[in-house]
Amino acid sequence: MPLKSYGVLAGRVLEHRAEGGADTPHFQIRAQGGGTHFRVAVNVRSQQSPPELLYFADEAFSHPQVQGLPGLADGFTTLPSQPGGLALDFIRGNLVERAAMRPLPSSKPGPDNDLADKLDHYVSRAAGDPAARLYAFGQRWGPERGVPDKVFGFTPGNGVHDIHMNQGNSGRFRRDDGVWQDGALLLHYPSTDQWVAIFLAFQSQSWHTDDQTGHTLPGTLAHGLADGDHLVRIIAALVSPAPERETVTLINTSSQDLDLTGWALLDQQGQQMPLQGTTLPAGDTIRITLRPPIQLGNRGGLVTLLNPGGLKVDGVSYTAAQAQPGGRTLTF
């Protein structure tokens, strides 16, 4: 069953602390949004093996996803788990590459060498900047009337958890699978218009999941990357008001020529364009002219490459600002 109350908390970081010694420790954040106090409980260790979480922080996060966040009212906003809105999906939203994430221990002696240290670095900066805003994506609990928060003591207990990828799970956590319901931490610093995005996932999770259920696809690896992931990369796109001029450029990173028959490009609206009769030589590039129904929007968008089995091979995103220069090709 997907998460029951998925959404995003917008607010101000007040304080934080790292738990230690627990079987399932968390990095705890107290935030205030819309006059209400929340505890954001961020997993830093897995109950399944291997225990280290996968982590990636993007300090210059540029994605169409962030364009609608500053307009949110402070507090928790419930989000429908579907494309086209503010809901997150690591895979379908082209938010983060599995290859960019690395495992980190929850706690380790020494500076800046564990997950708690990494989170402390970014959250401390947000706590020290009154203008900074936290956007915590996950599942809400509470308010628990008459029950104080067990970490920070405010009443009523209230918060957000599941601040990590929420699909491709195994074992008893498979029941939490769903699409467009992934968790993450986004931090915005208005004075410089900088966005920092922090992504977490469990090493036991799959990165090829069913488009309806979020369950691991049969015949794919139980976790990690498939052999063909990123074999062909999307390296550029021409975004134009005239659909017939829009193009996407691919590169074959392998040592073999590839027949792209049966492959397809996918846009943000889920429209596909097959790549029939296209051969891409080893190490070479090809510029593909797009045709309806696929179209690249000028307000930001996504481009995803699928293999003949329908598995994602590569994906990119671009913002409205990046799409503005007329006739100029974007590189990724």
Side-chain angles (χ1 to χ4, degrees), residues 90 107-108 189 201 206 259:
F90 286 15
S107 181
K108 185 178 180 180
Y189 303 94
S206 170
D259 179 4

Side-chain angles (χ1 to χ4, degrees), residues 31-278:
Q32 184 174 26
T36 301
H37 288 262
F38 294 82
R39 174 164 56 89
V40 180
V42 184
N43 289 77
V44 293
R45 183 178 173 87
S46 175
Q47 296 182 38
Q48 294 184 318
S49 182
E52 295 83 10
L53 263 67
L54 295 170
Y55 159 89
F56 178 70
D58 188 341
E59 296 187 353
F61 188 57
S62 179
H63 191 281
Q65 195 69 39
V66 305
Q67 295 171 172
L69 292 177
L72 280 179
D74 280 0
F76 188 84
T77 299
T78 301
L79 299 175
S81 294
Q82 61 189 33
L86 294 176
L88 302 185
D89 191 302
F90 286 15
I91 300 168
R92 293 157 191 85
N94 297 341
L95 290 168
V96 60
E97 293 184 0
R98 166 63 178 83
M101 306 184 79
R102 62 189 181 98
L104 281 179
S106 59
S107 181
K108 185 178 180 180
D112 197 32
N113 61 359
D114 57 46
L115 187 49
D117 290 342
K118 300 294 185 184
L119 293 171
D120 181 83
H121 169 76
Y122 294 109
V123 176
S124 292
R125 179 186 169 194
D129 182 352
R133 282 294 173 268
L134 166 74
Y135 298 91
F137 289 81
Q139 180 173 208
R140 181 175 182 173
W141 82 80
E144 301 168 320
R145 302 298 180 190
V147 178
D149 180 76
K150 68 177 184 179
V151 175
F152 297 109
F154 60 81
T155 303
N158 186 44
V160 184
H161 63 150
D162 292 322
I163 315 293
H164 48 68
M165 192 165 92
N166 292 302
Q167 58 184 306
N169 289 297
S170 60
R172 62 188 177 92
F173 298 103
R174 190 171 182 270
R175 65 177 183 264
D176 297 329
D177 282 350
V179 297
W180 295 103
Q181 59 158 29
D182 287 333
L185 292 177
L186 271 64
L187 297 164
H188 185 218
Y189 303 94
S191 60
T192 57
D193 198 26
Q194 180 189 9
W195 286 88
V196 174
I198 300 170
F199 301 106
L200 299 168
F202 300 107
Q203 294 188 64
S204 56
Q205 290 176 307
S206 170
W207 285 71
H208 288 293
T209 62
D210 184 89
D211 286 336
Q212 303 301 318
T213 65
H215 296 327
T216 300
L217 287 171
T220 61
L221 294 179
H223 57 83
L225 296 172
D227 290 339
D229 288 358
H230 309 308
L231 190 67
V232 179
R233 303 299 302 260
I234 302 169
I235 60 172
L238 175 60
V239 181
S240 162
E244 65 273 12
R245 293 184 54 211
E246 294 178 343
T247 64
V248 169
T249 303
L250 308 177
I251 185 170
N252 176 4
T253 68
S254 77
S255 59
Q256 303 292 326
D257 294 355
L258 290 177
D259 179 4
L260 298 184
T261 299
W263 293 52
L265 289 170
L266 182 74
D267 66 14
Q268 187 168 6
Q269 290 71 41
Q271 301 291 339
Q272 290 192 25
M273 190 190 87
L275 305 182
Q276 299 294 347
T278 302

